[in-house]
Amino acid sequence: MIVVQTFLLMFPSVCQGLLRLTGNILRNSAALSSSSATTDVIREAQQEMNKMNILFSQYDNPPLLWSSHEEAQCFIDEKLDAILFDCDGVLYRSPDEIPGAGDCIRRLLDAKKEVFFVTNNAASNRRQLQSKLQKVLGVDGLTEDMMVSSSFSCSEFLRKKFLPSLDLDPTTQKRIHVIGSEGLCEEIRQAGFLVTCGDDSDTSSMSREDLATYTFPEDPIDAVVVGHDINFTFRKLCIGNVLLQRNSQAPLIATNLDSFDLVGNDARHIPGNGCVVKALEYSSGRTAINVGKPSKLLADIVLGDRKIDPSRSMIVGDRLDTDIQFGQSSGMYSALVLTGVTSASQIEMIVKGESEEPMPSIIMPHVGIMA
Amino acid sequence: MIVVQTFLLMFPSVCQGLLRLTGNILRNSAALSSSSATTDVIREAQQEMNKMNILFSQYDNPPLLWSSHEEAQCFIDEKLDAILFDCDGVLYRSPDEIPGAGDCIRRLLDAKKEVFFVTNNAASNRRQLQSKLQKVLGVDGLTEDMMVSSSFSCSEFLRKKFLPSLDLDPTTQKRIHVIGSEGLCEEIRQAGFLVTCGDDSDTSSMSREDLATYTFPEDPIDAVVVGHDINFTFRKLCIGNVLLQRNSQAPLIATNLDSFDLVGNDARHIPGNGCVVKALEYSSGRTAINVGKPSKLLADIVLGDRKIDPSRSMIVGDRLDTDIQFGQSSGMYSALVLTGVTSASQIEMIVKGESEEPMPSIIMPHVGIMA
């Protein structure tokens, strides 16, 4: 490496290419050492990217198609101040890193770019997300400030909404009812609210007679929040619904409206938080406020508060309906990676006018391209 | 009464009025002896009816407003062959009869009208519904044929759909996965299907890892049915969703799409079956087939199979979105009673163009008017 660096001082432009080549070889060997599952993911992503190249060879005005590090780097250097990353399906496929993801983040931090990790997963709070990313990516220097889980955007939204009357006196404190995880409850509690949660240990049914005589220790509430709750029951739906009925001014807040996610080797569709939100919207007649992607509210929380220009920002994600839509509705560049839920056939449907999902401004096989 | 009947033979038209008067006095005393809760219901319904009379005094082409037995009887005698009744909020408010409901049914059966009891409640099967009505109304001569619970319309729909290939050999029998009550499962089993149900005793959560390793003993299935399930859990949502994913041809069937019902003295909104349907529609991307009110499929099952003319039929119900909509979409008269969930203010909103709910063709305070 010393030889290469000396050579670089003498012939900078040629050597940058050589250095990049050396880096690529090192990164590729890192990729080879990762689990065979993630290697499969990269191979499949590359195959999908080949289909994209064929697809767009026939159309004018295609999105930018990044197949090399150089294409990505040039764009990032010139046009971006901030890069926002979706996590699952982009930086890792639990529990493994997507090869090159850590290198990508390291390079951006070295280049003094603003980096944020924006996830619709409300199950973890910022501290937990930071710890997970640090472990999976092996990158130093990740701070809590960079973590934007939807549990955080939810507590931020609540804080701003109730700010004029925030009060830590428990008798008058604002009360938030949460259908969601303990991580979400904790984040909202830390923002100064009194949180009531469904009792996960009470898995009994809720008959008409049960609801007629329920005494509602949760009442009164100032808002109902729905985060991803793997312990969701009809009982929780009943309680949340009557709480909303009793305070017609209380907003219904969704940490996200995701419809499903993929789990397991055979890509089973696990229902997302949006399903529970839709159930509660239907019974209560309310429309939920979404504080997760693709809501512009989230962009205001991440970018607006820091005075970052959206037009010099980019979201990197694997989902059209959340990540790419988030980019579009917030005026950011939107980059799709093919290591998650979106396939070339879905993009083809947009091209053919058979789908109304948003078209990304950039497509790359995997985030390692940005490394 | 013997004197009255002799008198009737001599002067039939005058005496019919007298007999009606005597009947009314008897009925009113029956009403007085019923519980104070149902007496309150009748008083409130009468107050709402007064508002209706004031409201429609200012408008052309109002619905028929029935305030007396005579108005109802004349219409029924002349124009109707079949009368369909919604049950809860119309014939009873659990556990009490709406005063006059039993008399109403008795009179219609005596007049040889076709009578059906049509409920979106899929928790009970036909036998259970018959037994409940017999007990609450105290009417003899109610037969199973008159009972049209949505569990029955569901099993009828399935029977017709799979009729060409119905097979009782357990190895090739059609398999229906049910998110609903045991009564619903029983009705579908009796129609010749193999039924898999969510295990109510398994109330454990369903994490991503749990779903990734679940072995799906329910698989394969030919349809997924959602009936009202007070033991609904996220686990059941996950299982139903992946079963639909595995058979893209399997229909998703809803016994009804009700959004909520009222329970308790303070009219708490208990979420209806439609909430769970919406959750599963959202995760699976399917659109459910509704076999309950207001679906025309249900009218085909009740009227079509018996060759009854919808234009000489009437549905009596308390809900605009199910009962009255059912009448409209099936070409029947639709009569609203005010002993259930609908108030005069909702009708006023339709009149003023502030609501898109359907306008009934007839409004009466309570079903006792038809007695």
Side-chain angles (χ1 to χ4, degrees):
Chain A
M1 285 297 269
I2 292 169
V3 178
V4 173
Q5 280 172 3
T6 313
F7 193 53
L8 175 66
L9 290 170
M10 294 165 64
F11 306 98
S13 61
V14 177
C15 291
Q16 273 180 13
L18 254 183
L19 189 57
R20 172 64 55 85
L21 186 65
T22 320
N24 284 355
I25 292 166
L26 291 173
R27 272 192 297 280
N28 287 344
S29 64
L32 286 174
S33 71
S34 55
S35 81
S36 69
T38 51
T39 314
D40 286 350
V41 168
I42 294 293
R43 195 178 48 243
E44 283 162 21
Q46 197 59 61
Q47 286 166 356
E48 290 298 298
M49 192 67 197
N50 293 342
K51 293 182 199 166
M52 296 285 187
N53 284 317
I54 295 167
L55 171 68
F56 285 110
S57 65
Q58 305 162 30
Y59 289 89
D60 294 337
N61 301 320
L64 292 176
L65 302 172
W66 287 352
S67 295
S68 74
H69 298 274
E70 287 69 20
E71 288 164 298
Q73 208 56 49
C74 177
F75 186 92
I76 294 166
D77 286 348
E78 279 184 23
K79 296 191 184 286
L80 299 179
D81 297 330
I83 300 100
L84 293 74
F85 287 92
D86 176 43
C87 299
D88 199 9
V90 177
L91 300 174
Y92 52 77
R93 286 265 289 248
S94 285
D96 301 315
E97 179 196 2
I98 298 282
D103 290 331
C104 160
I105 303 301
R106 237 175 258 119
R107 177 182 287 262
L108 293 172
L109 292 176
D110 287 350
K112 305 291 179 207
K113 302 291 180 186
E114 297 264 16
V115 173
F116 300 99
F117 303 94
V118 184
T119 168
N120 270 356
N121 183 349
S124 52
N125 56 27
R126 289 204 287 174
R127 193 175 35 73
Q128 290 164 326
L129 180 60
Q130 179 194 10
S131 148
K132 172 162 189 176
L133 284 173
Q134 209 129 27
K135 188 173 150 204
V136 174
L137 303 180
V139 177
D140 294 328
L142 301 183
T143 64
E144 258 189 44
D145 271 2
M146 299 174 185
M147 308 296 145
V148 190
S149 64
S150 61
S151 58
F152 170 68
S153 63
C154 178
S155 70
E156 275 296 288
F157 176 81
L158 288 169
R159 211 175 49 78
K160 287 181 181 177
K161 178 168 178 63
F162 293 112
L163 200 59
S165 55
L166 258 189
D167 187 343
L168 296 183
D169 175 355
T171 57
T172 52
Q173 207 175 2
K174 292 289 173 187
R175 296 165 63 95
I176 313 296
H177 182 70
V178 176
I179 300 174
S181 66
E182 182 47 37
L184 175 59
C185 292
E186 189 187 324
E187 191 82 53
I188 298 173
R189 246 182 241 116
Q190 282 176 355
F193 296 94
L194 196 150
V195 173
T196 63
C197 271
D199 178 0
D200 285 347
S201 67
D202 186 355
T203 56
S204 56
S205 66
M206 180 66 100
S207 68
R208 297 171 66 93
E209 293 69 30
D210 293 336
L211 184 59
T213 55
Y214 187 74
T215 54
F216 286 95
E218 302 87 355
D219 202 27
I221 51 91
D222 298 290
V224 172
V225 169
V226 179
H228 195 58
D229 186 355
I230 62 172
N231 294 301
F232 181 68
T233 57
F234 184 67
R235 164 174 285 271
K236 290 187 181 184
L237 179 63
C238 288
I239 294 170
N241 191 54
V242 177
L243 290 172
L244 283 172
Q245 182 191 359
R246 289 184 172 195
N247 181 356
S248 63
Q249 301 305 308
L252 169 61
I253 299 163
T255 59
N256 69 74
L257 294 177
D258 292 1
S259 54
F260 68 88
D261 205 352
L262 304 181
V263 301
N265 296 334
D266 52 355
R268 299 168 179 191
H269 291 188
I270 187 166
N273 187 50
C275 302
V276 173
V277 176
K278 292 295 162 187
L280 194 50
E281 281 188 337
Y282 195 69
S283 58
S284 67
R286 306 281 175 92
T287 301
I289 298 165
N290 180 17
V291 295
K293 293 175 288 186
S295 168
K296 197 176 170 306
L297 282 173
L298 179 62
D300 294 342
I301 288 168
V302 183
L303 305 178
D305 287 4
R306 294 176 175 87
K307 309 214 185 313
I308 296 174
D309 183 354
S311 74
R312 290 193 54 82
S313 305
M314 175 173 82
I315 170 81
V316 184
D318 70 323
R319 292 181 77 122
L320 298 173
D321 58 346
T322 51
D323 303 315
I324 303 306
Q325 184 62 52
F326 180 53
Q328 273 205 1
S329 52
S330 313
M332 292 187 277
Y333 292 102
S334 58
L336 180 73
V337 292
L338 304 172
T339 45
V341 301
T342 304
S343 63
S345 63
Q346 283 167 269
I347 299 293
E348 190 174 3
M349 286 176 68
I350 304 174
V351 169
K352 290 182 173 171
E354 294 165 3
S355 159
E356 293 188 353
E357 293 207 275
M359 179 67 87
S361 40
I362 295 152
I363 303 177
M364 65 186 127
H366 56 88
V367 82
I369 290 289
M370 292 171 62
Chain B
M1 287 295 269
I2 292 167
V3 177
V4 174
Q5 277 172 5
T6 315
F7 192 54
L8 175 65
L9 288 171
M10 293 165 65
F11 306 97
S13 62
V14 177
C15 289
Q16 274 181 12
L18 254 182
L19 188 58
R20 172 65 54 87
L21 187 64
T22 321
N24 283 355
I25 292 166
L26 290 174
R27 273 192 296 279
N28 287 344
S29 65
L32 286 173
S33 72
S34 54
S35 79
S36 70
T38 52
T39 315
D40 285 351
V41 169
I42 295 294
R43 194 177 49 242
E44 283 163 20
Q46 197 59 60
Q47 286 167 356
E48 290 298 299
M49 192 68 198
N50 293 342
K51 293 182 199 165
M52 296 284 187
N53 284 318
I54 294 166
L55 171 68
F56 284 110
S57 66
Q58 306 162 30
Y59 288 88
D60 295 335
N61 301 319
L64 292 176
L65 302 172
W66 288 352
S67 294
S68 74
H69 298 273
E70 285 70 20
E71 288 164 297
Q73 207 56 49
C74 177
F75 186 92
I76 294 167
D77 286 348
E78 279 184 23
K79 296 191 183 287
L80 298 180
D81 297 329
I83 299 98
L84 293 73
F85 288 91
D86 176 44
C87 299
D88 198 12
V90 177
L91 300 174
Y92 53 77
R93 286 265 290 246
S94 284
D96 301 315
E97 178 196 3
I98 297 283
D103 291 330
C104 161
I105 303 301
R106 238 176 257 118
R107 178 181 285 264
L108 293 172
L109 292 177
D110 287 349
K112 305 292 180 205
K113 302 291 182 188
E114 297 264 16
V115 173
F116 299 99
F117 303 94
V118 184
T119 167
N120 270 357
N121 183 349
S124 52
N125 57 26
R126 289 204 287 175
R127 192 173 37 71
Q128 290 164 325
L129 180 59
Q130 178 194 11
S131 148
K132 171 161 190 176
L133 284 173
Q134 209 129 27
K135 187 174 151 203
V136 174
L137 303 179
V139 177
D140 293 330
L142 301 183
T143 64
E144 258 190 44
D145 271 2
M146 300 175 185
M147 307 298 146
V148 190
S149 64
S150 62
S151 58
F152 170 68
S153 64
C154 179
S155 69
E156 275 295 287
F157 175 80
L158 288 169
R159 212 175 48 76
K160 288 181 182 178
K161 178 169 179 62
F162 292 112
L163 201 57
S165 55
L166 258 189
D167 187 343
L168 296 183
D169 175 356
T171 58
T172 52
Q173 207 175 3
K174 292 289 174 187
R175 297 164 64 94
I176 313 297
H177 182 70
V178 176
I179 299 174
S181 67
E182 182 46 39
L184 174 59
C185 292
E186 191 187 323
E187 192 83 52
I188 297 173
R189 248 184 240 114
Q190 282 176 356
F193 296 94
L194 196 150
V195 172
T196 62
C197 272
D199 178 1
D200 285 349
S201 68
D202 185 354
T203 55
S204 56
S205 68
M206 180 67 99
S207 69
R208 297 172 65 93
E209 292 70 29
D210 293 335
L211 184 59
T213 55
Y214 187 73
T215 55
F216 286 96
E218 303 87 354
D219 202 28
I221 50 91
D222 298 289
V224 172
V225 169
V226 180
H228 195 58
D229 186 356
I230 62 171
N231 294 300
F232 180 69
T233 56
F234 183 68
R235 163 175 286 270
K236 290 188 181 185
L237 178 63
C238 288
I239 294 171
N241 191 54
V242 177
L243 289 172
L244 283 172
Q245 183 191 359
R246 289 186 171 195
N247 180 357
S248 64
Q249 301 305 308
L252 169 61
I253 299 163
T255 59
N256 69 74
L257 294 177
D258 292 2
S259 54
F260 68 88
D261 205 354
L262 304 181
V263 300
N265 296 334
D266 53 355
R268 297 168 180 191
H269 291 190
I270 187 167
N273 187 50
C275 302
V276 173
V277 176
K278 292 294 162 190
L280 194 50
E281 281 187 335
Y282 195 68
S283 57
S284 67
R286 307 280 175 94
T287 301
I289 298 166
N290 180 16
V291 296
K293 294 175 286 186
S295 169
K296 199 179 169 303
L297 281 174
L298 180 62
D300 294 342
I301 287 168
V302 183
L303 305 178
D305 287 3
R306 294 177 175 85
K307 308 212 185 314
I308 296 172
D309 183 354
S311 73
R312 290 193 55 81
S313 305
M314 176 172 83
I315 172 79
V316 184
D318 70 322
R319 290 180 79 119
L320 299 172
D321 58 345
T322 53
D323 303 317
I324 303 308
Q325 184 62 52
F326 180 53
Q328 273 204 3
S329 52
S330 313
M332 294 186 276
Y333 292 103
S334 58
L336 180 74
V337 292
L338 304 172
T339 45
V341 300
T342 304
S343 63
S345 63
Q346 283 167 269
I347 299 294
E348 190 174 4
M349 285 175 70
I350 305 175
V351 169
K352 290 182 174 172
E354 294 164 4
S355 158
E356 293 188 352
E357 293 207 277
M359 180 66 89
S361 40
I362 296 152
I363 303 176
M364 63 186 127
H366 55 89
V367 82
I369 290 289
M370 291 172 62

PDB file of all heavy atoms in Angstrom, chain B residues 55-56 59 344-359:
ATOM      1  N   LEU B  55     -88.091  17.504  10.288  1.00  0.00           N
ATOM      2  CA  LEU B  55     -87.105  17.612   9.212  1.00  0.00           C
ATOM      3  C   LEU B  55     -87.771  17.513   7.842  1.00  0.00           C
ATOM      4  O   LEU B  55     -87.549  18.360   6.969  1.00  0.00           O
ATOM      5  CB  LEU B  55     -86.059  16.492   9.377  1.00  0.00           C
ATOM      6  CG  LEU B  55     -85.061  16.289   8.238  1.00  0.00           C
ATOM      7  CD1 LEU B  55     -84.111  17.472   8.139  1.00  0.00           C
ATOM      8  CD2 LEU B  55     -84.237  15.009   8.467  1.00  0.00           C
ATOM      9  N   PHE B  56     -88.620  16.503   7.668  1.00  0.00           N
ATOM     10  CA  PHE B  56     -89.145  16.243   6.328  1.00  0.00           C
ATOM     11  C   PHE B  56     -90.360  17.102   5.994  1.00  0.00           C
ATOM     12  O   PHE B  56     -90.807  17.101   4.848  1.00  0.00           O
ATOM     13  CB  PHE B  56     -89.447  14.747   6.161  1.00  0.00           C
ATOM     14  CG  PHE B  56     -88.206  13.930   5.962  1.00  0.00           C
ATOM     15  CD1 PHE B  56     -87.752  13.061   6.942  1.00  0.00           C
ATOM     16  CD2 PHE B  56     -87.460  14.054   4.793  1.00  0.00           C
ATOM     17  CE1 PHE B  56     -86.598  12.325   6.767  1.00  0.00           C
ATOM     18  CE2 PHE B  56     -86.301  13.317   4.604  1.00  0.00           C
ATOM     19  CZ  PHE B  56     -85.862  12.450   5.596  1.00  0.00           C
ATOM     20  N   TYR B  59     -89.306  19.379   3.199  1.00  0.00           N
ATOM     21  CA  TYR B  59     -88.725  18.855   1.966  1.00  0.00           C
ATOM     22  C   TYR B  59     -89.762  18.135   1.114  1.00  0.00           C
ATOM     23  O   TYR B  59     -90.679  17.495   1.641  1.00  0.00           O
ATOM     24  CB  TYR B  59     -87.574  17.896   2.280  1.00  0.00           C
ATOM     25  CG  TYR B  59     -86.364  18.620   2.793  1.00  0.00           C
ATOM     26  CD1 TYR B  59     -86.220  18.881   4.155  1.00  0.00           C
ATOM     27  CD2 TYR B  59     -85.391  19.078   1.913  1.00  0.00           C
ATOM     28  CE1 TYR B  59     -85.122  19.575   4.635  1.00  0.00           C
ATOM     29  CE2 TYR B  59     -84.288  19.777   2.383  1.00  0.00           C
ATOM     30  CZ  TYR B  59     -84.155  20.023   3.736  1.00  0.00           C
ATOM     31  OH  TYR B  59     -83.078  20.716   4.194  1.00  0.00           O
ATOM     32  N   ALA B 344     -81.615  10.768  13.963  1.00  0.00           N
ATOM     33  CA  ALA B 344     -82.195  11.733  13.027  1.00  0.00           C
ATOM     34  C   ALA B 344     -81.118  12.631  12.426  1.00  0.00           C
ATOM     35  O   ALA B 344     -81.202  13.033  11.263  1.00  0.00           O
ATOM     36  CB  ALA B 344     -83.243  12.576  13.742  1.00  0.00           C
ATOM     37  N   SER B 345     -80.070  12.918  13.210  1.00  0.00           N
ATOM     38  CA  SER B 345     -79.036  13.837  12.700  1.00  0.00           C
ATOM     39  C   SER B 345     -78.312  13.248  11.489  1.00  0.00           C
ATOM     40  O   SER B 345     -77.893  13.977  10.593  1.00  0.00           O
ATOM     41  CB  SER B 345     -78.042  14.183  13.809  1.00  0.00           C
ATOM     42  OG  SER B 345     -77.366  13.024  14.227  1.00  0.00           O
ATOM     43  N   GLN B 346     -78.192  11.903  11.454  1.00  0.00           N
ATOM     44  CA  GLN B 346     -77.539  11.281  10.294  1.00  0.00           C
ATOM     45  C   GLN B 346     -78.407  11.409   9.039  1.00  0.00           C
ATOM     46  O   GLN B 346     -77.906  11.602   7.939  1.00  0.00           O
ATOM     47  CB  GLN B 346     -77.263   9.796  10.570  1.00  0.00           C
ATOM     48  CG  GLN B 346     -76.070   9.590  11.482  1.00  0.00           C
ATOM     49  CD  GLN B 346     -76.009   8.172  11.995  1.00  0.00           C
ATOM     50  OE1 GLN B 346     -76.564   7.865  13.045  1.00  0.00           O
ATOM     51  NE2 GLN B 346     -75.373   7.292  11.245  1.00  0.00           N
ATOM     52  N   ILE B 347     -79.719  11.300   9.241  1.00  0.00           N
ATOM     53  CA  ILE B 347     -80.633  11.456   8.101  1.00  0.00           C
ATOM     54  C   ILE B 347     -80.611  12.910   7.627  1.00  0.00           C
ATOM     55  O   ILE B 347     -80.618  13.196   6.428  1.00  0.00           O
ATOM     56  CB  ILE B 347     -82.068  11.030   8.516  1.00  0.00           C
ATOM     57  CG1 ILE B 347     -82.087   9.550   8.934  1.00  0.00           C
ATOM     58  CG2 ILE B 347     -83.059  11.294   7.379  1.00  0.00           C
ATOM     59  CD1 ILE B 347     -81.785   8.571   7.824  1.00  0.00           C
ATOM     60  N   GLU B 348     -80.525  13.822   8.587  1.00  0.00           N
ATOM     61  CA  GLU B 348     -80.462  15.246   8.241  1.00  0.00           C
ATOM     62  C   GLU B 348     -79.231  15.531   7.375  1.00  0.00           C
ATOM     63  O   GLU B 348     -79.290  16.316   6.428  1.00  0.00           O
ATOM     64  CB  GLU B 348     -80.424  16.089   9.526  1.00  0.00           C
ATOM     65  CG  GLU B 348     -80.606  17.570   9.255  1.00  0.00           C
ATOM     66  CD  GLU B 348     -80.713  18.397  10.530  1.00  0.00           C
ATOM     67  OE1 GLU B 348     -80.568  17.818  11.638  1.00  0.00           O
ATOM     68  OE2 GLU B 348     -80.940  19.619  10.411  1.00  0.00           O
ATOM     69  N   MET B 349     -78.122  14.865   7.698  1.00  0.00           N
ATOM     70  CA  MET B 349     -76.894  15.063   6.904  1.00  0.00           C
ATOM     71  C   MET B 349     -77.077  14.595   5.462  1.00  0.00           C
ATOM     72  O   MET B 349     -76.549  15.204   4.532  1.00  0.00           O
ATOM     73  CB  MET B 349     -75.707  14.342   7.555  1.00  0.00           C
ATOM     74  CG  MET B 349     -75.184  15.066   8.789  1.00  0.00           C
ATOM     75  SD  MET B 349     -73.878  14.136   9.622  1.00  0.00           S
ATOM     76  CE  MET B 349     -72.529  14.298   8.430  1.00  0.00           C
ATOM     77  N   ILE B 350     -77.827  13.507   5.285  1.00  0.00           N
ATOM     78  CA  ILE B 350     -78.087  13.036   3.912  1.00  0.00           C
ATOM     79  C   ILE B 350     -78.935  14.072   3.180  1.00  0.00           C
ATOM     80  O   ILE B 350     -78.642  14.440   2.037  1.00  0.00           O
ATOM     81  CB  ILE B 350     -78.831  11.681   3.914  1.00  0.00           C
ATOM     82  CG1 ILE B 350     -78.063  10.634   4.724  1.00  0.00           C
ATOM     83  CG2 ILE B 350     -79.052  11.188   2.480  1.00  0.00           C
ATOM     84  CD1 ILE B 350     -78.803   9.314   4.878  1.00  0.00           C
ATOM     85  N   VAL B 351     -79.978  14.550   3.883  1.00  0.00           N
ATOM     86  CA  VAL B 351     -80.886  15.522   3.273  1.00  0.00           C
ATOM     87  C   VAL B 351     -80.109  16.758   2.823  1.00  0.00           C
ATOM     88  O   VAL B 351     -80.330  17.303   1.745  1.00  0.00           O
ATOM     89  CB  VAL B 351     -81.998  15.914   4.280  1.00  0.00           C
ATOM     90  CG1 VAL B 351     -82.783  17.114   3.771  1.00  0.00           C
ATOM     91  CG2 VAL B 351     -82.925  14.742   4.538  1.00  0.00           C
ATOM     92  N   LYS B 352     -79.158  17.181   3.662  1.00  0.00           N
ATOM     93  CA  LYS B 352     -78.390  18.396   3.363  1.00  0.00           C
ATOM     94  C   LYS B 352     -77.218  18.150   2.407  1.00  0.00           C
ATOM     95  O   LYS B 352     -76.442  19.059   2.133  1.00  0.00           O
ATOM     96  CB  LYS B 352     -77.836  18.988   4.675  1.00  0.00           C
ATOM     97  CG  LYS B 352     -78.911  19.572   5.566  1.00  0.00           C
ATOM     98  CD  LYS B 352     -78.288  20.177   6.812  1.00  0.00           C
ATOM     99  CE  LYS B 352     -79.330  20.902   7.647  1.00  0.00           C
ATOM    100  NZ  LYS B 352     -78.790  21.320   8.948  1.00  0.00           N
ATOM    101  N   GLY B 353     -77.062  16.892   1.964  1.00  0.00           N
ATOM    102  CA  GLY B 353     -75.972  16.587   1.041  1.00  0.00           C
ATOM    103  C   GLY B 353     -74.623  16.495   1.724  1.00  0.00           C
ATOM    104  O   GLY B 353     -73.583  16.529   1.076  1.00  0.00           O
ATOM    105  N   GLU B 354     -74.613  16.385   3.067  1.00  0.00           N
ATOM    106  CA  GLU B 354     -73.333  16.318   3.797  1.00  0.00           C
ATOM    107  C   GLU B 354     -72.895  14.882   4.053  1.00  0.00           C
ATOM    108  O   GLU B 354     -71.854  14.630   4.655  1.00  0.00           O
ATOM    109  CB  GLU B 354     -73.475  17.054   5.146  1.00  0.00           C
ATOM    110  CG  GLU B 354     -73.701  18.548   4.988  1.00  0.00           C
ATOM    111  CD  GLU B 354     -74.214  19.197   6.268  1.00  0.00           C
ATOM    112  OE1 GLU B 354     -74.312  18.496   7.293  1.00  0.00           O
ATOM    113  OE2 GLU B 354     -74.512  20.408   6.229  1.00  0.00           O
ATOM    114  N   SER B 355     -73.720  13.934   3.645  1.00  0.00           N
ATOM    115  CA  SER B 355     -73.380  12.521   3.831  1.00  0.00           C
ATOM    116  C   SER B 355     -73.798  11.774   2.585  1.00  0.00           C
ATOM    117  O   SER B 355     -74.800  12.110   1.947  1.00  0.00           O
ATOM    118  CB  SER B 355     -74.129  11.968   5.053  1.00  0.00           C
ATOM    119  OG  SER B 355     -74.226  10.562   4.979  1.00  0.00           O
ATOM    120  N   GLU B 356     -73.006  10.777   2.209  1.00  0.00           N
ATOM    121  CA  GLU B 356     -73.333  10.005   1.004  1.00  0.00           C
ATOM    122  C   GLU B 356     -74.019   8.692   1.344  1.00  0.00           C
ATOM    123  O   GLU B 356     -74.143   7.817   0.502  1.00  0.00           O
ATOM    124  CB  GLU B 356     -72.064   9.759   0.185  1.00  0.00           C
ATOM    125  CG  GLU B 356     -71.537  11.061  -0.376  1.00  0.00           C
ATOM    126  CD  GLU B 356     -70.396  10.874  -1.353  1.00  0.00           C
ATOM    127  OE1 GLU B 356     -69.903   9.738  -1.482  1.00  0.00           O
ATOM    128  OE2 GLU B 356     -70.011  11.875  -1.980  1.00  0.00           O
ATOM    129  N   GLU B 357     -74.440   8.544   2.602  1.00  0.00           N
ATOM    130  CA  GLU B 357     -75.114   7.298   2.965  1.00  0.00           C
ATOM    131  C   GLU B 357     -76.496   7.261   2.299  1.00  0.00           C
ATOM    132  O   GLU B 357     -77.059   8.287   1.934  1.00  0.00           O
ATOM    133  CB  GLU B 357     -75.211   7.199   4.488  1.00  0.00           C
ATOM    134  CG  GLU B 357     -73.817   7.029   5.096  1.00  0.00           C
ATOM    135  CD  GLU B 357     -73.826   6.297   6.426  1.00  0.00           C
ATOM    136  OE1 GLU B 357     -74.064   6.960   7.438  1.00  0.00           O
ATOM    137  OE2 GLU B 357     -73.575   5.083   6.434  1.00  0.00           O
ATOM    138  N   PRO B 358     -77.026   6.051   2.113  1.00  0.00           N
ATOM    139  CA  PRO B 358     -78.286   5.933   1.373  1.00  0.00           C
ATOM    140  C   PRO B 358     -79.492   6.362   2.212  1.00  0.00           C
ATOM    141  O   PRO B 358     -79.494   6.220   3.427  1.00  0.00           O
ATOM    142  CB  PRO B 358     -78.352   4.430   1.076  1.00  0.00           C
ATOM    143  CG  PRO B 358     -77.600   3.789   2.183  1.00  0.00           C
ATOM    144  CD  PRO B 358     -76.487   4.738   2.525  1.00  0.00           C
ATOM    145  N   MET B 359     -80.488   6.897   1.532  1.00  0.00           N
ATOM    146  CA  MET B 359     -81.733   7.315   2.194  1.00  0.00           C
ATOM    147  C   MET B 359     -82.701   6.130   2.194  1.00  0.00           C
ATOM    148  O   MET B 359     -82.936   5.523   1.153  1.00  0.00           O
ATOM    149  CB  MET B 359     -82.334   8.487   1.425  1.00  0.00           C
ATOM    150  CG  MET B 359     -83.633   9.010   1.999  1.00  0.00           C
ATOM    151  SD  MET B 359     -83.431   9.758   3.628  1.00  0.00           S
ATOM    152  CE  MET B 359     -83.054  11.451   3.150  1.00  0.00           C
TER     153      MET B 359
END
